[in-house]
Amino acid sequence: MDESTIRLINLIDVLSEKYIDVPEISEECMNTWSTEQITYYYESGGTNKPSSLNGMASQGHDQPGGSVEQTEDPAAHRNTPASARANQFAATVAGYRAQTIADGLPSRPHGLFPPRDPLLRELAEDPTAHPFEKHLAGEHSPYELLRNGSWTSGDEAAQAGFDMRLFYKDKQRDDRYGTILGAARLGDRASIGNGYWMSAHGGAVESLLDEATAELGKMEFSPMLSTIEAGFKIKKSVPLHTTLRIECEIREIKGMRCWVDGYVKDLSGVLLASCLAQLVDLQQLWAAQGQSP
């Protein structure tokens, strides 16, 4: 009998004497449980037995990472009210563009931009560039400013480390479509590892492009659309707490689909990341499927 087995038997003897009402563990358990798991079993009065999933019982969890009782009803997020559904069908590109520009870009108390940011100042001074924030069709209007923000929009996003401010730039004389320009900053919560001296997480960078390309699609193609395909390329590490330049342009519109190019650059113009997003017009798709409000 080796020393580790002897120590384990001695531990069980000590715990059995201390917790006399706890059923003894089997020889199989003795051979598979760690000393921490055996100790926890006795200390819990025999109610917590180690699972085959590592570390659950020894940490007092019913599953890896623990659990929290969930009260949200998933169906509540899928069942669109009739009035909101009607507004989804009623929304138009011209209406979306007019309302978002009229509403402008609300203040963000938890924003990540410093005072007098040079890129924001440049964009704000361009009379053909209009700051705006994402809208969605809701119960009261086809174009509603998001009251509680989203993953990528509003002060709630900024508080979570994602602050992107978009401007719709009017189409110029020889252009078929307008474009999107913007400024963005990613904070600690958008990092690969908060507190570990690293750059922005790739998912956060891709979210910049996903959101910006979709908003240009809504301004020029359809206010009700969905990204169905996107190819992302991250050329260089994207730094945190640094102002980034966002640019988007329509590549092609054909039928119920639209293709938008998006770019993230540093202030010297160096390309950090790019994507080509393909979006589908949901209003046309619903009509083709025979759906109605």
Side-chain angles (χ1 to χ4, degrees):
M1 187 178 297
D2 59 33
E3 291 185 7
S4 62
T5 302
I6 294 173
R7 286 197 298 271
L8 198 59
I9 292 173
N10 290 336
L11 172 65
I12 293 172
D13 287 341
V14 171
L15 292 171
S16 297
E17 292 179 4
K18 184 176 181 180
Y19 303 100
I20 58 176
D21 294 329
V22 176
E24 292 186 5
I25 63 174
S26 66
E27 183 176 347
E28 179 184 359
C29 293
M30 186 180 71
N31 293 331
T32 57
W33 293 2
S34 68
T35 56
E36 291 82 4
Q37 290 171 327
I38 291 172
T39 301
Y40 187 74
Y41 167 76
Y42 278 97
E43 289 178 345
S44 69
T47 59
N48 288 307
K49 298 180 180 180
S51 166
S52 59
L53 297 175
N54 289 340
M56 292 196 312
S58 65
Q59 298 173 26
H61 296 162
D62 61 343
Q63 59 189 1
S67 62
V68 176
E69 191 67 32
Q70 301 298 306
T71 59
E72 289 286 342
D73 178 11
H77 297 273
R78 295 194 299 266
N79 298 330
T80 306
S83 58
R85 184 66 170 166
N87 284 330
Q88 290 176 346
F89 277 84
T92 66
V93 165
Y96 185 83
R97 189 164 57 231
Q99 189 62 59
T100 55
I101 290 174
D103 288 342
L105 186 60
S107 177
R108 297 177 179 176
H110 298 94
L112 303 178
F113 282 85
R116 297 174 294 280
D117 181 85
L119 178 54
L120 276 179
R121 173 171 289 188
E122 172 194 326
L123 295 173
E125 291 177 350
D126 182 349
T128 67
H130 311 283
F132 74 97
E133 193 165 283
K134 178 179 186 174
H135 285 49
L136 291 173
E139 292 186 79
H140 307 292
S141 168
Y143 324 106
E144 293 185 10
L145 185 65
L146 278 58
R147 295 187 301 274
N148 301 312
S150 73
W151 169 249
T152 54
S153 179
D155 190 53
E156 290 75 12
Q159 194 169 9
F162 189 103
D163 191 350
M164 180 166 65
R165 307 183 185 188
L166 298 179
F167 292 69
Y168 172 76
K169 186 171 177 62
D170 297 330
K171 64 180 179 180
Q172 305 304 297
R173 178 177 298 177
D174 298 325
D175 295 335
R176 293 188 64 187
Y177 309 107
T179 58
I180 286 286
L181 299 176
R185 288 173 74 94
L186 298 173
D188 292 339
R189 293 185 179 182
S191 68
I192 293 173
N194 193 350
Y196 283 86
W197 315 280
M198 305 188 83
S199 59
H201 193 286
V205 177
E206 292 175 357
S207 291
L208 292 173
L209 293 164
D210 181 39
E211 181 76 358
T213 53
E215 283 305 308
L216 179 56
K218 290 162 71 176
M219 288 288 202
E220 291 289 346
F221 174 50
S222 169
M224 290 299 303
L225 50 69
S226 178
T227 302
I228 59 173
E229 184 178 324
F232 298 96
K233 295 180 180 179
I234 300 179
K235 302 287 189 179
K236 296 178 179 292
S237 296
V238 176
L240 301 174
H241 301 291
T242 303
T243 299
L244 308 166
R245 185 178 184 89
I246 307 296
E247 299 176 1
C248 296
E249 57 189 21
I250 300 285
R251 177 182 291 197
E252 181 182 6
I253 292 177
K254 185 176 181 180
M256 66 174 65
R257 301 191 184 197
C258 172
W259 289 262
V260 183
D261 288 295
Y263 308 94
V264 177
K265 301 178 180 180
D266 68 15
L267 294 189
S268 66
V270 173
L271 180 64
L272 303 178
S274 65
C275 84
L276 173 60
Q278 181 183 165
L279 308 110
V280 64
D281 180 350
L282 293 177
Q283 292 173 330
Q284 290 190 56
L285 179 63
W286 293 335
Q289 294 172 340
Q291 297 186 41
S292 59

